[in-house]
Amino acid sequence: QLNQYVSVFYVYSHSQCTTHSIIIIDQSGSMKKADVNAFRTRSDAAFGTLALDYIAEQLYQQGDEFFVDAVTIIEMNDTGSILVHKEPLDWLLFNKMLDRMVTARPKSHGNYVESLKLAEDIIKTELASYDDLDEGDIPAFMLVFISDGKPSDTLPEHQLRRINAVARLAHKIKSKLTFLGMGIGATGSDFDQLRLLAETAEEYGAGGEFNHAGLNPASLSTSLCSTATMMTTTRNDLLSNKDKKQSKTEKSYDEKKENYEWGSS
């Protein structure tokens, strides 16, 4: 019940959200392959390590501190569908991902364009609600794309639409966006498009990175742990800057108050 209240709080009190992770997880038919050690399928590996090494890792790093972060998860096959929309980063979300590891049913193709467009629309809608905030006060966005190979939408126009979606976001919010492409697949798998998206993000002023985790769960774990640590650092920096800004405002107020009281005496 508390989780539901916090979710509603996110929707109606945007300025309280420090970071927002939008995670696209490939759920095309190839994710049913059983070739990742310690996991039943590639899909299981994606959801399992997301729960353990991204969500739980951040929660452990923060300890007892209270922080306000949101997570959106998009499942990709023929289209993009929202599994979780702007829910709190907490242990309830952790449990949801472990449950989804069992219930997910990968199928059909892996079309990148629709999922990226959906992610772009989510971020643009959120940014529109921050018009009254200073640039430094808007959340940091992490766009994570987990896939086991090249996209199924292979026409030149599809590549252009993918690049443009990432380029528009990177150009708009610059360092407030980080794009992470993560490849699950054997050596020799084609991840050129994921690499290209990471390079595009960097080219337009955002952070961009691609990691090929292979079929080794330890590599996938390390990659997501590193991303979790990056988000923790980003969150702490943003909170520190807000505290400094608040302290400066309070000091200015106290000085004005003192001057007013002195002048009135």
Side-chain angles (χ1 to χ4, degrees):
Q1 189 174 13
L2 176 61
N3 179 273
Q4 293 175 346
Y5 290 147
V6 175
S7 296
V8 171
F9 179 73
Y10 281 162
V11 173
Y12 292 103
S13 185
H14 303 290
S15 64
Q16 301 301 312
C17 183
T18 308
T19 68
H20 188 176
S21 300
I22 297 93
I23 302 167
I24 300 173
I25 299 181
D26 191 341
Q27 285 293 281
S28 63
S30 60
M31 291 292 282
K32 292 188 291 187
K33 290 184 178 179
D35 54 5
V36 181
N37 293 332
F39 288 98
R40 187 181 53 159
T41 64
R42 294 179 179 182
S43 176
D44 282 14
F47 282 109
T49 53
L50 177 65
L52 294 167
D53 302 306
Y54 189 74
I55 297 172
E57 182 68 18
Q58 290 186 72
L59 293 171
Y60 282 131
Q61 288 177 8
Q62 288 303 114
D64 295 329
E65 293 182 31
F66 177 78
F67 57 91
V68 184
D69 295 271
V71 177
T72 294
I73 296 174
I74 298 170
E75 294 186 336
M76 178 192 75
N77 39 58
D78 287 332
T79 61
S81 58
I82 296 176
L83 174 66
V84 167
H85 181 243
K86 207 177 181 186
E87 291 199 8
L89 179 72
D90 60 15
W91 292 111
L92 289 178
L93 181 62
F94 169 83
N95 288 328
K96 281 186 180 181
M97 293 306 98
L98 291 183
D99 180 64
R100 191 57 179 166
M101 183 175 71
V102 177
T103 61
R105 296 291 181 267
K107 62 181 181 180
S108 198
H109 302 98
N111 294 327
Y112 281 25
V113 169
E114 294 302 322
S115 291
L116 280 170
K117 183 63 170 62
L118 182 55
E120 182 188 14
D121 288 343
I122 289 170
I123 295 175
K124 285 171 65 178
T125 298
E126 188 166 348
L127 288 173
S129 68
Y130 299 137
D131 284 344
D132 57 338
L133 296 180
D134 294 336
E135 182 179 343
D137 291 333
I138 69 172
F141 292 91
M142 171 69 77
L143 178 53
V144 181
F145 201 127
I146 303 173
S147 179
D148 67 347
K150 63 183 180 181
S152 300
D153 41 359
T154 57
L155 295 177
E157 66 186 73
H158 293 144
Q159 176 172 310
L160 183 61
R161 289 176 64 189
R162 287 192 290 272
I163 291 172
N164 285 344
V166 173
R168 282 190 295 264
L169 288 175
H171 178 70
K172 186 173 184 62
I173 54 178
K174 303 293 184 182
S175 62
K176 287 283 186 167
L177 173 70
T178 300
F179 178 92
L180 173 65
M182 189 173 303
I184 303 176
T187 301
S189 299
D190 187 350
F191 293 113
D192 287 349
Q193 290 299 311
L194 274 183
R195 287 192 182 90
L196 180 59
L197 294 177
E199 291 168 359
T200 298
E202 282 197 307
E203 180 182 349
Y204 284 86
E209 184 178 338
F210 170 77
N211 292 324
H212 181 196
L215 297 172
N216 184 340
S219 298
L220 185 57
S221 172
T222 298
S223 183
L224 281 171
C225 277
S226 297
T227 306
T229 299
M230 184 191 309
M231 288 301 283
T232 298
T233 301
T234 299
R235 178 188 310 112
N236 291 340
D237 288 345
L238 288 173
L239 291 174
S240 176
N241 289 336
K242 285 183 179 180
D243 288 342
K244 290 177 182 177
K245 184 176 181 180
Q246 184 175 356
S247 296
K248 186 176 181 180
T249 301
E250 291 172 349
K251 181 179 180 181
S252 175
Y253 171 78
D254 289 341
E255 289 174 348
K256 289 179 180 178
K257 181 180 178 182
E258 184 178 323
N259 291 336
Y260 173 78
E261 291 174 344
W262 178 261
S264 301
S265 58

